[in-house]
């Protein structure tokens, strides 16, 4: 079912075999209940975190240790926000995910005050950047300045500088190579980030109109310094 999770044997990433009787290092499969439509993303924080189309769950072992085994597994639902198909991003001790409908970014993480996982709406501080739009792609540039680069459905590139321990949440809008809506304006379609020699490098797929023809380029943001 689309609400299921399948994991391999411990240390054998392509082996999904199980034993009879079950062994502690066997492959593990389980379904989330109730009413889960699809698992969208899986990340590791203090526990395994599952982001689905209509809720956020955690999964851990239920025995003496926290290891997940066929005989030791505990799953818990914490909220009913739901997420899009975009992969969640791990930023420090938090996971960022795009909420269902595609226009809100939420931070999911453990709260000592509530002794459980909570979600906070980060886009609450900049609703004008997302009203009437959806997020189609994003990536996280950890170094040098902890920036999440966000691609909006109209090709505008947004940035979210996010440093949770300093309570820094700052959004900005970036026009690539021109003015918004002009013929020389670059329409960003995709973004990714890979480690570079001096900092994490951000690459973009940018659609441009050159001499009346539509072209697509792989472009890299210049180093910060």
């Amino acid at each position: 079912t689309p609400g299921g999770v399948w994991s391999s044997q411990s240390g054998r990433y392509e082996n999904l075999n199980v034993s009879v009787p079950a062994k502690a290092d066997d492959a593990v499969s389980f379904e989330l209940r109730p009413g889960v439509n699809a698992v969208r993303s899986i990340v590791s924080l203090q526990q395994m975190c599952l982001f689905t189309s209509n809720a956020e769950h955690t999964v851990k072992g239920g025995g003496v240790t926290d290891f997940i085994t066929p005989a030791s597994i505990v799953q818990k639902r914490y909220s009913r926000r739901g997420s899009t198909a975009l992969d969640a991003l791990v930023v420090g001790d938090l996971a960022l995910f795009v909420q269902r409908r595609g226009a809100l970014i939420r931070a999911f993480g453990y709260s000592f005050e509530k002794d459980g996982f909570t979600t906070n709406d980060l886009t609450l501080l900049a609703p004008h950047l997302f009203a009437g739009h959806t997020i189609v792609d994003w990536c996280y540039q950890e170094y040098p300045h902890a920036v999440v680069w966000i691609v909006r459905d109209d090709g505008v590139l947004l940035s979210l500088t996010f440093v949770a321990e300093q309570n820094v949440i700052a959004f900005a809008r970036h026009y690539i190579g021109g003015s918004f809506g002009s013929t020389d304006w670059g329409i960003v379609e995709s973004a990714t980030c890979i480690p570079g020699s001096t900092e994490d490098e951000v690459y973009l797929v940018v659609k441009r109109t050159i001499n009346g023809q539509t072209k697509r380029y792989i472009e890299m943001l210049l180093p910060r310094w």
Side-chain angles (χ1 to χ4, degrees):
T1 64
V5 176
W6 294 263
S7 62
S8 68
Q9 291 186 357
S10 299
R12 304 180 181 91
Y13 305 117
E14 296 181 355
N15 192 329
L16 296 175
N17 293 333
V18 296
S19 306
V20 180
K23 298 180 180 179
D25 62 349
D26 273 354
V28 178
S29 62
F30 57 91
E31 293 185 0
L32 298 173
R33 287 291 184 265
V36 173
N37 294 322
V39 176
R40 301 295 198 186
S41 186
I42 302 176
V43 301
S44 176
L45 297 177
Q46 289 185 343
Q47 301 173 20
M48 178 190 293
C49 302
L50 306 180
F51 299 93
T52 75
S53 57
N54 65 359
E56 292 71 55
H57 298 250
T58 62
V59 180
K60 65 178 182 178
V64 177
T65 69
D66 287 334
F67 298 117
I68 297 174
T69 70
S72 173
I73 185 168
V74 175
Q75 52 181 290
K76 185 175 181 179
R77 186 188 67 218
Y78 278 96
S79 57
R80 284 185 173 273
R81 304 297 184 179
S83 65
T84 66
L86 289 178
D87 288 338
L89 302 177
V90 177
V91 179
D93 296 330
L94 301 171
L96 305 188
F97 69 97
V98 179
Q99 187 176 330
R100 181 179 57 234
R101 309 296 183 194
L104 294 178
I105 297 175
R106 287 190 169 272
F108 182 81
Y110 184 79
S111 169
F112 289 99
E113 292 79 7
K114 296 187 176 181
D115 191 24
F117 285 78
T118 61
T119 66
N120 296 315
D121 180 9
L122 302 184
T123 51
L124 188 65
L125 299 175
H128 60 289
L129 295 180
F130 299 92
H133 296 285
T134 58
I135 298 168
V136 298
D137 201 7
W138 65 349
C139 65
Y140 176 50
Q141 184 185 23
E142 182 175 22
Y143 184 81
H145 292 305
V147 178
V148 178
W149 294 97
I150 303 160
V151 180
R152 212 167 61 180
D153 58 354
D154 61 350
V156 171
L157 182 67
L158 306 176
S159 65
L160 163 61
T161 303
F162 181 58
V163 186
E165 58 269 26
Q166 301 296 331
N167 294 320
V168 173
I169 305 173
F171 286 93
R173 179 167 34 199
H174 308 269
Y175 296 125
I176 303 299
S179 303
F180 177 61
S182 65
T183 56
D184 61 344
W185 173 55
I187 298 175
V188 181
E189 295 184 328
S190 182
T192 192
C193 184
I194 62 175
S197 57
T198 59
E199 66 180 49
D200 295 337
E201 298 173 347
V202 178
Y203 289 85
L204 309 171
V205 175
V206 182
K207 183 172 71 173
R208 298 183 181 277
T209 301
I210 307 297
N211 296 326
Q213 295 184 337
T214 299
K215 305 284 187 178
R216 284 179 171 84
Y217 299 89
I218 305 298
E219 304 183 9
M220 186 186 79
L221 295 185
L222 289 173
R224 174 63 175 173
W225 305 113

